Amino acid sequence: FLSTALTAAGLRTGLVSTAISRVGGIQRAAAAHQTTPEAPALQRALRDMVEAGDEAAAVESTSHGLQLERVGAINFASAIYTTFSPDHLDFHANLDEYRAAKAKLVARTVGSAASRARHLPRVVVVHASDPAVQPFAAAAEAAGLQVARFDAYSEHEVLINGVKAELHLSMPGRINAANAAAALTLVAAWGLPLPAAIAAVEGEVGPPGRSQLISGTQPFRVIVDFAHTGPSLTASVAVARGLCAPAGRLLLVTGAAGERDPGRRTAVGQAATGADLVWVADEDPRGEDPNHIAEQIRAAYLAATPRPGSSLHILHDRAAAIRAAISAAQPGDVVLLAGKGHERTIERDGVDKEWDEAATAQSVLSSLGYSPKL
């Protein structure tokens, strides 16, 4: 959204993110399971952008990227905090350390001269109604930075730089409205043409694996989404539930990665209670026992009071789980395939197996007699 919005507003902007990159207006899939590349690769990407005529770069900066100084040589023109919740506690010793790593983004914006070339103010954009990001706003204000705020009251009603507005996005759900409002808030705070940015953002279909509808002749919806943490799965489930017919059900395939913060499994299990039928499948077990991962998700699911009449099944073979969910779908239902999104491999015991979630879903639909919509 930010790359699209700024480019439409007259500031051609490249992109480095989890799912895709953009250099000189050319979009490519991300090469690896790494949101913020190692410093030499990131600097090479930025140099490629300069040589391709880009004037700015939107760089998704993770706590790993900040803590390990992958962005250590970068002075940011501005920063955006969409949300903050417990995660990556396999890497950070505790929540305070995780928060401190995220706060480094404010520090990297304080000394920036990057925005001065175009006389743009240094801004830290935060979610207005999320108390978890307010410490970052306070740190920005204490450092003399401008703070701008966004919010999403519904799928269409948003707050852009403190002003209420309407958005009609191609991507469904309140979570996407919030992300779009965050991007547009920076456009407005920088004094760039907002109407052009809004029009471009409303037409943005998003990267593969993010609220991606698998269109076909089936009488139910199939959505592929990267949601792989408790908060993101909760948001994705809410989007999918909103697309169900009045009597429709939500069928969910989910899981959790091995050798990562085990707290994710509890959070994913809790979020899965928003579905009617759940299949727990392998995501990236790595060197960990997939049964152990799945049982932790199941325990959290059962402890969190599932919906009446709902059920959870463990089916490690992800392709088989997707087939089971789609085969069980009825008219008006929504099938949500969560956790892999855009990723092109499943890692198990040190081996990366090729994987394509959207293509697998499309293959299952075709085998059941449904045709793609062109």
Side-chain angles (χ1 to χ4, degrees), residues 153-175:
Y153 309 113
S154 69
E155 187 173 4
H156 301 300
E157 297 176 300
V158 298
L159 188 74
I160 298 174
N161 197 30
V163 178
K164 290 185 178 180
E166 282 193 11
L167 286 180
H168 297 278
L169 301 177
S170 300
M171 298 179 71
R174 183 175 174 181
I175 183 64

Side-chain angles (χ1 to χ4, degrees), residues 35-350:
T35 299
T36 308
E38 300 294 340
L42 178 56
Q43 292 297 328
R44 178 70 259 175
L46 295 175
R47 171 52 53 188
D48 289 344
M49 291 178 196
V50 171
E51 293 175 352
D54 290 328
E55 301 174 89
V59 179
E60 190 173 354
S61 304
T62 62
S63 63
H64 290 68
L66 289 157
Q67 184 70 28
L68 298 174
E69 296 294 330
R70 294 176 189 166
V71 297
I74 297 175
N75 289 319
F76 288 88
S78 284
I80 296 176
Y81 287 94
T82 54
T83 188
F84 179 81
S85 59
D87 198 11
H88 301 301
L89 299 184
D90 57 310
F91 176 72
H92 302 287
N94 50 52
L95 190 61
D96 287 339
E97 184 179 293
Y98 178 38
R99 187 182 292 105
K102 290 280 192 180
K104 288 176 180 286
L105 187 56
V106 173
R108 298 229 58 83
T109 305
V110 170
S112 175
S115 60
R116 297 177 196 153
R118 292 178 63 106
H119 306 288
L120 301 173
R122 291 173 297 160
V123 181
V124 173
V125 176
V126 298
H127 198 302
S129 62
D130 186 349
V133 299
Q134 301 316 311
F136 306 123
E141 289 172 339
L145 300 177
Q146 179 180 328
V147 174
R149 300 182 185 274
F150 73 92
D151 210 336
Y153 309 113
S154 69
E155 187 173 4
H156 301 300
E157 297 176 300
V158 298
L159 188 74
I160 298 174
N161 197 30
V163 178
K164 290 185 178 180
E166 282 193 11
L167 286 180
H168 297 278
L169 301 177
S170 300
M171 298 179 71
R174 183 175 174 181
I175 183 64
N176 288 314
N179 288 334
L184 292 167
T185 290
L186 183 57
V187 172
W190 273 355
L192 300 175
L194 189 58
I198 289 176
V201 163
E202 288 183 326
E204 174 61 67
V205 298
R210 302 295 177 97
S211 299
Q212 181 182 355
L213 288 170
I214 308 301
S215 298
T217 58
Q218 74 275 5
F220 51 86
R221 295 177 188 260
V222 179
I223 302 173
V224 172
D225 196 70
F226 186 49
H228 62 292
T229 66
S232 62
L233 183 58
T234 298
S236 189
V237 163
V239 170
R241 178 64 68 184
L243 295 174
C244 290
R249 303 168 303 162
L250 175 55
L251 288 66
L252 171 66
V253 175
T254 188
E259 299 179 3
R260 294 295 184 268
D261 183 0
R264 282 188 185 178
R265 300 163 198 183
T266 299
V268 164
Q270 292 169 342
T273 59
D276 297 289
L277 299 176
V278 181
W279 287 263
V280 176
D282 289 357
E283 192 174 295
D284 283 295
R286 298 185 170 90
E288 197 169 346
D289 181 358
N291 288 306
H292 179 64
I293 297 170
E295 288 299 340
Q296 287 185 310
I297 294 173
R298 191 213 296 266
Y301 170 86
L302 293 174
T305 314
R307 293 169 64 89
S310 63
S311 62
L312 180 145
H313 312 273
I314 294 175
L315 190 53
H316 292 291
D317 184 325
R318 194 168 183 92
I322 291 173
R323 172 169 288 278
I326 292 177
S327 298
Q330 299 171 1
D333 289 349
V334 172
V335 178
L336 174 59
L337 310 177
K340 291 302 296 178
H342 63 283
E343 293 181 342
R344 290 296 178 261
T345 60
I346 293 179
E347 184 181 345
R348 181 182 284 104
D349 295 325

